[in-house]
Amino acid sequence: MQKKTIGILAHVDAGKTTFSEQLLYHTKSIRQRGRVDHKDTFLDSHDIEKERGITVFADQAMFSYNDSLYHLIDTPGHVDFSPEMERSIQVMDYAIILLSAVEGIQGHTETVWQTLKKYRIPTFFYINKTDRVGAEVPGVLSEISAHFTGDAYDITDSFGHDELSEELVEWLAERDEVLLDRFMDDNYDEDFWLNTMISLLKERRIFPVMTGTALQDQGVIEFLEKMDRLTITDYSRDESFAARVYKIRYDENCTRQTFMKALKGSLKVRDEITYGKEETREKVTQIRLYNGNKYKTTDEVNAGDLFAVVGLTQAEAGDGLGSLKDNAAYEVVPALKSKVIFDQSIHPKDVLKHFHILDAEDPSLNVTWEEHLQQITIQVMGTIQLEVLQRLIKERFLLSVSFADPEILYKETIESSVTGSGHFEPLGHYAEVHVKLEPGLPNSGISFENACHADDLPIGYQNLVRQHLFERDHHGILTGSPLTDIKITLLTGRAHNKHTSGGDFREATLRALRQGLEKAVNVLLEPFYDVKIKVELHQLGRVLADLQTACGTFDPPQTTGGTALVTGRVPVATFKNYSTTLASFTQGKGSITLVFGGYDRCHNEEEIIHNRNYNKDADPEYTSSSIFCAKGHGYTVTWDEAEKHMHALK
């Protein structure tokens, strides 16, 4: 039996959960179909999901069809829960994007498509709600071709149980010259063309489309039938165990569960799993197969299975386990941050304990305890996420919290290359580090290169420098915002056979980084949206003026008939509430797509720096000064004088 993990993805209200219910019902995984408006769906089982009518958590179900066992993942459709969606995508074999036949491609659909493209997940399209007034299937197909891919094809009527239509075969043949020659030879071998279609789908060279209406149960079983014939997986049980973690959850007993997809081999209860940079080894005490919010335990799972284990205490979403050593890097990141507000009678560390649980479940929250301010901050996608978090914390931890209005999450980088030097030599200690700081590629984070010779600094200490640079996030000196897009190269260093110990290299490394920042030209960055706005032609001038006022840029507008499409780039800070404005002056007829487009130079840098009023010299976690020792006493040397005293530079 083949094991296939499929994901259902869509913009909110496209009918994703209803579609999932139909699949589960037709495969006898559930006895009756639930409805979102009746608040009785199988996968949206949490009270928050039922009340709001949206999917918040990526839950999974299991069903069998023909010779395949399917793991189905129903992902959130609201942009505020995009990180949850991305974490789930990385374990999918195939994806299904649902589009409304009326609304077509919407804001979150763009994010879904780009994320699937990043992870190279083979994808089907299902155009839903074809029974609604205003449904326009040809128009949606044109949108897919214009904005996503020109390799999508409607197989609703052209791919039946017994045959592929001649038009479909001809379209497949146009994918490359070898196939075209085969077609021109009039060699119609159905098995060949079916296998060709399977291969092209697997390689993301074609994207099958089907149409129907999930609520009326039209086209769903036909979709399942065709999808089953077009999908294949090849998982091996005969290799050493490898898996990818895609989420962490704590159950009602506060038991930590690590959800993963087995990619190779098999896993049994009481087996040990190795993971992480520290090669942590922990024993699996229980294996759970989830179907909705219920599970059954099993003694063994194999490659291709989706399951949760109990017993791992430190694994995080994205971690590779066993023989899979790499960790996934996420691109959907929050652009806002908010302060947690709670009753003064509650000790902050008690509140922080609960937020650490939430942080394990959703690493994009990036929960931070700011010691000098005695406050907890989190990073979020939007206000809907904050409302859900407030309710969740009340239900799970019996704790009443609120959140300050979300603020823009700024970042900092440099635009000049400098060297940074750090020396730490109080009595009985010794370490010296010299690094080069260079501007990195946009949205590349922090990267590291080692150019240090072992004659200058032993390999073990070189590795320590790298470890200390990546063991924590760093912040800049303009506003104290996170540091990003910097390449750090270790140039050289010094250690002492007798006196170097403990955290000496941590002290020297952080001082070298900070001293380099003091010398560099520092730059403030802010998050940007990639924006698409569609309006009637007479409203185009208003949109272009609004983009300019918001400090955005835009490409030449595209006009078709009586409509105009504007694409551009604009700061989140000036445009995060524009959807309401657009709906107002277009009477709801205009459409807008906002996709996080990374960070770029802040449009009002001086104003933000002034308002933040950050005192870099009062930061308790960083100092740019170095400590030297003479005549049995340590003394401090400021950053601008430190290099004159450095041992490696003499």
Side-chain angles (χ1 to χ4, degrees), residues 18 37 53 133 158 200 223 252 270 273 289 320 327 373 381 552 578 627 630:
T18 303
D37 54 342
V133 175
S158 58
L200 293 175
F223 177 90
E252 63 276 5
R270 312 306 296 174
I273 295 181
L289 295 174
N327 296 331
L373 297 174
M381 298 292 293
Y578 190 72
I627 298 178

Side-chain angles (χ1 to χ4, degrees), residues 297-329:
T297 59
T298 185
D299 293 328
E300 183 178 3
V301 285
N302 299 293
D305 282 326
L306 207 66
F307 55 96
V309 306
V310 177
L312 306 189
T313 62
Q314 299 174 51
E316 300 175 351
D319 279 357
L321 306 178
S323 61
L324 181 65
K325 302 300 182 183
D326 70 303
N327 296 331

Side-chain angles (χ1 to χ4, degrees), residues 164 169 172-174 176-200 229-230:
L164 290 72
V169 172
L172 292 171
E174 292 169 354
D176 63 49
E177 291 185 8
V178 174
L179 292 175
L180 189 58
D181 288 343
R182 174 108 182 190
F183 176 76
M184 297 301 290
D185 289 342
D186 199 26
N187 187 351
Y188 182 77
D189 179 339
E190 183 170 336
D191 287 340
F192 170 81
W193 289 107
L194 176 60
N195 289 330
T196 295
M197 197 171 176
I198 291 170
S199 298
L200 293 175
R229 294 183 66 197
L230 292 173

Side-chain angles (χ1 to χ4, degrees), residues 139-399:
V140 178
L141 287 169
S142 296
E143 282 192 54
I144 293 172
S145 179
H147 300 299
F148 287 173
T149 174
D151 296 314
Y153 192 90
D154 186 354
I155 64 169
T156 305
D157 300 317
S158 58
F159 176 51
H161 183 70
D162 297 321
E163 62 179 12
L164 290 72
S165 71
E166 186 175 347
E167 292 81 4
L168 175 57
V169 172
E170 183 178 359
W171 182 78
L172 292 171
E174 292 169 354
R175 299 306 100 189
D176 63 49
E177 291 185 8
V178 174
L179 292 175
L180 189 58
D181 288 343
R182 174 108 182 190
F183 176 76
M184 297 301 290
D185 289 342
D186 199 26
N187 187 351
Y188 182 77
D189 179 339
E190 183 170 336
D191 287 340
F192 170 81
W193 289 107
L194 176 60
N195 289 330
T196 295
M197 197 171 176
I198 291 170
S199 298
L200 293 175
L201 169 61
K202 189 81 171 175
E203 296 166 7
R204 280 180 56 88
R205 293 173 62 190
I206 65 169
F207 301 87
V209 182
M210 281 194 65
T211 63
T213 172
L215 189 60
Q216 305 300 329
D217 195 15
Q218 296 173 6
V220 178
I221 189 64
E222 292 83 359
F223 177 90
L224 176 59
E225 209 172 282
K226 295 175 185 182
M227 181 188 71
D228 186 64
R229 294 183 66 197
L230 292 173
T231 53
I232 57 170
T233 55
D234 183 23
Y235 288 106
S236 172
R237 296 178 53 182
D238 301 325
E239 299 180 66
S240 58
F241 177 73
R244 172 81 71 195
V245 178
Y246 71 97
K247 71 176 178 179
I248 304 294
R249 288 289 183 271
Y250 286 79
D251 66 15
E252 63 276 5
N253 299 316
C254 215
T255 301
R256 195 179 204 265
Q257 304 172 92
T258 305
F259 285 78
M260 63 185 73
K261 167 82 170 282
L263 304 174
K264 297 177 183 177
S266 60
L267 180 71
K268 297 178 181 178
V269 174
R270 312 306 296 174
D271 281 355
E272 285 191 337
I273 295 181
T274 304
Y275 64 91
K277 295 176 183 176
E278 305 299 322
E279 291 289 308
T280 302
R281 292 179 66 87
E282 292 185 304
K283 188 174 292 185
V284 172
T285 58
Q286 191 179 67
I287 300 175
R288 300 177 176 183
L289 295 174
Y290 268 87
N291 200 16
N293 61 359
K294 293 181 169 49
Y295 69 86
K296 64 178 182 180
T297 59
T298 185
D299 293 328
E300 183 178 3
V301 285
N302 299 293
D305 282 326
L306 207 66
F307 55 96
V309 306
V310 177
L312 306 189
T313 62
Q314 299 174 51
E316 300 175 351
D319 279 357
L321 306 178
S323 61
L324 181 65
K325 302 300 182 183
D326 70 303
N327 296 331
Y330 302 120
E331 291 187 358
V332 180
V333 295
L336 304 172
K337 70 174 184 178
S338 181
K339 182 176 74 172
V340 182
I341 301 170
F342 50 90
D343 194 288
Q344 294 294 315
S345 63
I346 307 173
H347 196 284
K349 294 300 172 69
D350 291 333
V351 180
L352 188 60
K353 177 180 65 176
H354 298 312
F355 271 88
H356 280 321
I357 292 176
L358 296 175
D359 195 43
E361 296 181 340
D362 182 0
S364 70
L365 287 175
N366 197 21
V367 174
T368 304
W369 168 248
E370 299 181 2
E371 182 71 39
H372 56 296
L373 297 174
Q374 292 288 294
Q375 69 180 26
I376 302 168
T377 60
I378 61 172
Q379 296 178 13
V380 293
M381 298 292 293
T383 54
I384 300 296
Q385 185 182 6
L386 287 177
E387 292 171 13
V388 169
L389 277 172
Q390 188 173 10
R391 170 75 180 276
L392 197 64
I393 293 164
K394 181 69 174 176
E395 288 183 2
R396 289 180 62 178
F397 309 126
L398 305 178
L399 180 66

